[in-house]
Amino acid sequence: MDLTVVAYVIYLLISIALTVWVARTLSRNGRVFIGDVLHGNEKLADAVNHLLVVGFYLVNIGFVTLYLRSGETILEARGLFEALSVKLGVVLLVLGVMHLGNVWVLNKMRRRGIMERQQTPPIPPTAWTAPAGA
């Protein structure tokens, strides 16, 4: 019996579930960094966060579907597990690299924002008067 189609279905289900889980985790936890980078502008942080999630889905689901094709026919359970382990391992590595890339970019943006805030000179007080008797 040819198990290639079974391997495709299992691969797609697991890969897409992993992609959704990683995207949600990045969205939920990355929003804090984006809000900090954008100086507390919540609406803009939400919009940027949503755009990043959409891009993450497009890249990862596109990769998963392009990587779906198998060059060999799977005839037994052992071959099914071996094919799935290779395919899912590659998908996990790609998700990990995408995650590290996102964290690196967000951290770089955050550090740049912190540096910009530190370089801004303080504003002189307005309506300052000299103390009495000076």
Side-chain angles (χ1 to χ4, degrees):
M1 176 176 157
D2 186 5
L3 297 175
T4 307
V5 174
V6 174
Y8 289 162
V9 171
I10 293 170
Y11 165 73
L12 284 174
L13 289 174
I14 293 173
S15 297
I16 291 174
L18 285 169
T19 300
V20 169
W21 176 71
V22 171
R24 285 186 176 188
T25 302
L26 288 173
S27 173
R28 190 176 340 105
N29 297 318
R31 191 181 173 289
V32 175
F33 290 105
I34 295 171
D36 187 45
V37 168
L38 299 174
H39 309 291
N41 188 341
E42 299 295 325
K43 288 181 76 172
L44 185 58
D46 287 338
V48 169
N49 197 20
H50 184 72
L51 290 172
L52 287 172
V53 168
V54 169
F56 186 82
Y57 280 136
L58 290 173
V59 169
N60 283 295
I61 292 175
F63 173 77
V64 164
T65 55
L66 283 174
Y67 197 61
L68 174 68
R69 187 174 183 181
S70 178
E72 60 188 59
T73 302
I74 301 169
L75 299 174
E76 55 190 34
R78 178 181 174 186
L80 176 72
F81 283 107
E82 289 173 355
L84 284 174
S85 70
V86 169
K87 290 200 171 291
L88 291 173
V90 170
V91 167
L92 288 170
L93 287 172
V94 169
L95 284 171
V97 167
M98 289 286 294
H99 167 68
L100 290 175
N102 281 339
V103 169
W104 184 77
V105 168
L106 288 173
N107 190 38
K108 195 148 181 85
M109 289 171 57
R110 184 172 175 265
R111 284 184 183 207
R112 184 180 307 145
I114 290 171
M115 294 280 284
E116 286 174 0
R117 279 182 251 155
Q118 288 176 347
Q119 292 176 355
T120 305
I123 300 173
T126 56
W128 181 81
T129 58

